[in-house]
Every structure is written in structure tokens, then in C-alpha cells.
Amino acid sequence: MERAVPLAVPLGQTEVFQALQRLHMTIFSQSVSPCGKFLAAGNNYGQIAIFSLASGLWVELGNSVLHFSLAHDGPVYSMVSTDRHLLSAGDGEVKAWLWAEMLKKGCKELWHRQPPYRTSLEVPEINALLLVPKENSLILAGGDCQLHTMDLETGTFTRVLRGHTDYIHCLALRERSPEVLSGGEDGAVRLWDLRTAKEVQTIEVYKHEECSRPHNGRWIGCLATDSDWMVCGGGPALTLWHLRSSTPTTVFPIRAPQKHVTFYQDLILSAGQGRCVNQWQLSGELKAQVPGSSPGLLSLSLNQQPAAPECKVLTAAGNSCRVDVFTNLGYRAFSLSF
């Protein structure tokens, strides 16, 4: 039999395919390099792109754009950076890349690890990564409703924290104490003591009348901490809490569910459904809404690396192929694009 000869794909068809990919792209995650001059962004196609924050252009080697077309087989849901590595997470595994090598063409992963799931057939998404610098560990959480701790020195998984009854969306670290907060689809924010590997506090946000929005659901999609304070949101309203008393102190007047939140100086920054990055006073007053180019936002990244003060920017990404760059909090300066 004669061997079938594959038909060549016309150049125009390839361009159409790439345009359709960009049209339906979602950027789930971002992470700034240790030097502060570069930004990694991960999308729903498993690609990780490296951008130059200094020039506002793609990092290039020769005439080719640096990107990883198949860094993961599925979406890149979360990323964090250590002083040497970029860690990225997708469906069921976390991978490590050397930042020093990522600016070169053909960079390969340094290692990959898969948490000890209940069965070999289970491949849950990893929605959140969190570094714990004091113990040189990484916490992973997602679709299996558990928090897994990995020792970054040895690559071994050292503990599993169980308590959530549905998948986990977000993590936050209380830096002054060895405690981690997690929020998920079950509507609870759980506080874990890393010394004892036990749950020490639970806040079921949706059960508080001032926070509850049953039409949006009970899920917690974002949270952040600052000492004894926590801010969280999702289905319930974006709310500032005093952790010691488990008391909601400020409910922020925004209807759209929020997907990312962070403390910044004396403000709270949030983003979610809609184009705007919201700037809140702790009292609940909306200071500003700064529009971006994406119809919805999933992640914010504040570059505060002291090594690159000229690259001190806020970046926002979500339901488009663009990463918006804010050189100050008042306006979008430019956008980076896949």
C-alpha cells in the first residue's frame, strides 16, 4: 500500500487558527521574576510566556518570540517564583523552571512532581500555589479538596491537610505566624496551623447575613491576609474580616463576584467580573476603578522587587490574550499580548 501523504496546512489557515486561539484565550496566572524585570504568564492552552516589563515587549532571542507552547498539557492555573525558579501548576502536577534558563530558546523543565492523590486515575487541577519561605516549602491545593505541602529541598510531600468538602480556589499566608488560610467551593475559609498540621479556625462566610448572596453561590474565589485581617470574596460579597474575633467589619459595595484580591499599602485591590481593577479604602469607600482591556480579570500581580524599582508595576490578566500593565494605580499604560 502507498503511504498517505499529509496535506500541507496553508499559511493563511495557520494564521486563522492562531487568531482564534488568541480570541478564546484565558490567562489564569502570573509571576514576576526574582530580578523584577520579567513577567511570566500562563494560559488555558498550557503555554507560559515571558514578557519584558522594562521594554513592554516580548522577550526575544534573535527574531523568535520566547514561549513554551506545551509547558503543561492543560491550563496553567497557578505560578509562583522563588529566588531561582518559576513553579507552575496545571492538571495534577507542578513543574519547576530555572529563571536563568527561561530567557533562552528551548528551555526545559527542571523537574515535575505530582501530589499523592487517592487513586492513580485522579488528576485534579491545582488551583493555587503558596510559598512558605521560613520552612522552604510549597503548598498546593485544588480539585482534590486537600492542601499538600512539598519540601522544596528534597521534592518530597510532607503532609496533607484535610477539611474542605469541595475543591479549593485560593491560599494565603499569615507571615507573622506559621498559618495558612484556604478558601474554596464549600464556602468556608479555613485557617491551618502548620506546626500541628491542624485546622484551628473556620469561617463559613455565606452564613453571615451581611456577606451572603445566595444568587451567586457560596464559593470563595479569592482571599488575602495582613496580620490579624483577612479580605475574601467570590459568591459572597467582598468583605474585610478581623480574624481573632471572626467578625466581618467592612462589606465592600460591589455586585460582581471578585476573583483576586490583595492588600497594597493602605488600600485593598480587587478584580473579577468586569474590566476594572478596583481600589478600596479599608472603610469600604471605592477610591477608584481603573479600566483594562479584558472583559474579566482573574489575576493581579504587584511587582515590588527592590532590584528593579523602574519596573514597579501592577499587571492584570484574565479573559483575553492581553496582560495590562499599570505603571501607577491611576491608569493602564500599555498591554502585553501573547
Side-chain angles (χ1 to χ4, degrees):
M1 293 179 60
E2 292 185 0
R3 181 178 297 175
V5 178
L7 296 175
V9 179
L11 179 60
Q13 186 174 331
T14 301
E15 292 172 346
V16 170
F17 175 75
Q18 291 173 344
L20 287 172
Q21 267 202 330
R22 288 193 294 271
L23 182 64
H24 296 285
M25 188 176 293
T26 297
I27 300 174
F28 285 107
S29 54
Q30 306 176 64
S31 186
V32 176
S33 65
C35 68
K37 296 181 179 180
F38 303 100
L39 176 74
N43 68 18
N44 55 320
Y45 300 120
Q47 299 169 335
I48 296 177
I50 308 299
F51 300 104
S52 170
L53 294 174
S55 65
L57 300 172
W58 282 76
V59 176
E60 296 188 10
L61 184 67
N63 294 320
S64 62
V65 174
L66 178 64
H67 72 284
F68 302 95
S69 60
L70 284 175
H72 288 266
D73 293 333
V76 184
Y77 292 114
S78 184
M79 293 192 294
V80 293
S81 290
T82 70
D83 57 355
R84 297 180 61 227
H85 302 117
L86 173 69
L87 307 177
S88 62
D91 289 326
E93 66 177 358
V94 58
K95 295 185 177 184
W97 316 81
L98 274 172
W99 265 111
E101 298 295 320
M102 293 188 74
L103 306 182
K104 302 176 182 178
K105 189 175 181 179
C107 174
K108 302 294 184 181
E109 68 188 66
L110 188 64
W111 51 257
H112 68 273
R113 298 287 187 274
Q114 185 177 69
Y117 296 125
R118 296 183 183 93
T119 71
S120 60
L121 299 177
E122 190 175 19
V123 188
E125 62 192 48
I126 298 173
N127 293 321
L129 297 176
L130 180 69
L131 291 171
V132 185
K134 288 184 179 180
E135 59 177 42
N136 193 29
S137 67
L138 175 72
I139 298 179
L140 306 77
D144 71 338
C145 317
Q146 302 176 120
L147 285 75
H148 300 269
T149 301
M150 188 182 80
D151 186 318
L152 287 173
E153 184 70 28
T154 63
T156 58
F157 288 91
T158 57
R159 59 180 168 236
V160 179
L161 305 178
R162 299 182 177 92
H164 282 280
T165 59
D166 211 333
Y167 59 86
I168 299 166
H169 287 296
C170 47
L171 299 169
L173 177 68
R174 293 187 76 185
E175 295 184 0
R176 296 182 183 179
S177 59
E179 295 175 338
V180 168
L181 287 86
S182 57
E185 198 71 13
D186 59 7
V189 173
R190 303 181 189 274
L191 181 64
W192 309 86
D193 188 328
L194 296 180
R195 294 165 296 191
T196 61
K198 294 185 181 298
E199 182 179 342
V200 294
Q201 187 177 358
T202 303
I203 300 175
E204 294 178 300
V205 178
Y206 66 96
K207 290 185 177 180
H208 292 255
E209 184 177 356
E210 58 268 62
C211 308
S212 177
R213 299 189 298 189
H215 58 286
N216 285 336
R218 62 174 62 177
W219 55 279
I220 301 298
C222 60
L223 62 85
T225 60
D226 185 1
S227 187
D228 289 332
W229 299 92
M230 172 190 75
V231 60
C232 67
L238 186 69
T239 306
L240 181 66
W241 292 75
H242 185 248
L243 284 173
R244 287 190 180 181
S245 60
S246 298
T247 304
T249 61
T250 305
V251 178
F252 299 95
I254 185 168
R255 293 183 179 181
Q258 299 298 280
K259 302 292 184 67
H260 194 110
V261 67
T262 187
F263 288 92
Y264 177 66
Q265 297 178 354
D266 59 347
L267 298 173
I268 289 173
L269 308 180
S270 75
Q273 290 183 6
R275 295 181 177 275
C276 293
V277 176
N278 308 296
Q279 302 175 25
W280 303 97
Q281 304 280 5
L282 298 181
S283 62
E285 178 185 351
L286 181 62
K287 181 180 180 182
Q289 285 187 308
V290 185
S293 63
S294 299
L297 296 173
L298 298 174
S299 69
L300 302 175
S301 178
L302 279 164
N303 183 6
Q304 302 186 76
Q305 292 286 359
E310 72 280 6
C311 297
K312 187 177 180 180
V313 296
L314 168 71
T315 54
N319 301 121
S320 80
C321 63
R322 295 176 295 277
V323 179
D324 292 330
V325 180
F326 302 80
T327 51
N328 64 48
L329 295 183
Y331 70 97
R332 176 174 63 94
F334 56 89
S335 296
L336 304 163
S337 182
F338 270 79

